[in-house]
Amino acid sequence: MIVGEQKPIAEILSILEPYEKLLILGCGTCVKTCFAGGEDEVAALASVLRLALGKDGRKKEIQEFTVERQCEDEFIQEAAPHVKECQAVLSLACGAGVQGMVKRFAKVPVLPGVNTTFIGIQENQGLFTEECQGCGNCGLALFGGICPVTRCSKKLLNGPCGGSRNGVCEVDPDTECAWQLIIERLTTLNQLDNLKLYIPPKNWQPSLSGGPRKLKREDHII
Ligand code: SF4
Ligand code: SF4
């Protein structure tokens, strides 16, 4: 899932300053799971904004609505009647959701209310960890399913740096050494021979370093 967190209220108030009629639009999938932009967060943010504005003697009309996903046109359409009524949309989706809305509603400002941070998982209740950097050429098969591109602080592909202590990364004491985890996992899977393979320097062209990417599925194009 895409993980993000809501922007600070002061920043949100500042980007909303020029507008009187607003729609706070939530997204009911990834950002809902990470407590940044689902229906509950939309309602909470609307209340906080009304209170903050009221304290300053200002008033704005704030509507609330949440769609299942702001990154899919099918769901974006449901927001159309609400978007029509407002001067600006504060989107609580990830950056893809905001831009999905921008493509659909050319004449209405769509503003980000969330800082999109990474692709990850919920490891424990309230703890989200980054697991994939979308490098475009997944090598997880060689690493026992643990990604050194994302989880090794030095992005090492051919084994550990030697700096870890007690399974902890030398760069950050709060991070497990990815290579320790990879070796333990390969041991469990009886695949330690994978470590004998030399992994050449990674070609970053399929990653974002090669510019914005597109995925074309000819079999799904109508
Ligand atoms: S190797 Fe690339 S695609 Fe696979 S998990 Fe790591 S960053 Fe993501
Ligand atoms: S200690 Fe482990 S995770 Fe940290 S940089 Fe070295 S190999 Fe990578």
Side-chain angles (χ1 to χ4, degrees), residues 151-154 156 160-161 163-164 168-171 176-179:
R151 295 176 62 187
C152 168
S153 304
K154 298 175 190 170
L156 300 177
C161 67
S164 74
V168 170
C169 174
E170 71 165 355
V171 175
E176 290 173 294
C177 169
W179 269 100

Side-chain angles (χ1 to χ4, degrees), residues 131-140 147 149-150:
E131 307 292 331
C132 173
Q133 293 189 351
C135 75
N137 185 10
C138 191
L140 283 178
C147 175
V149 175
T150 310

Side-chain angles (χ1 to χ4, degrees), residues 37 41 75 83 92 107 128 130 136 164 168 188 191 210:
E41 289 74 35
F75 300 107
V83 174
L92 294 192
K107 294 187 178 157
F128 300 89
E130 184 168 21
S164 74
V168 170
T188 303
Q191 292 177 358

Side-chain angles (χ1 to χ4, degrees), residues 6-25 42 45-46 48-50 52-53 58-63 86-92 109-113:
Q6 222 171 77
K7 282 182 176 289
I9 295 297
E11 186 181 343
I12 291 179
L13 280 168
S14 147
I15 59 179
L16 296 180
E17 182 68 44
Y19 311 104
E20 298 304 323
K21 288 177 85 178
L22 300 165
L23 169 65
I24 303 180
L25 186 65
V42 168
L45 179 61
V48 171
L49 289 178
R50 286 185 192 111
L53 290 163
R58 289 179 294 164
K59 219 172 169 202
K60 291 183 195 286
E61 198 180 310
I62 299 175
Q63 276 190 59
C86 69
Q87 294 171 332
V89 177
L90 180 74
S91 163
L92 294 192
V110 182
L111 309 159

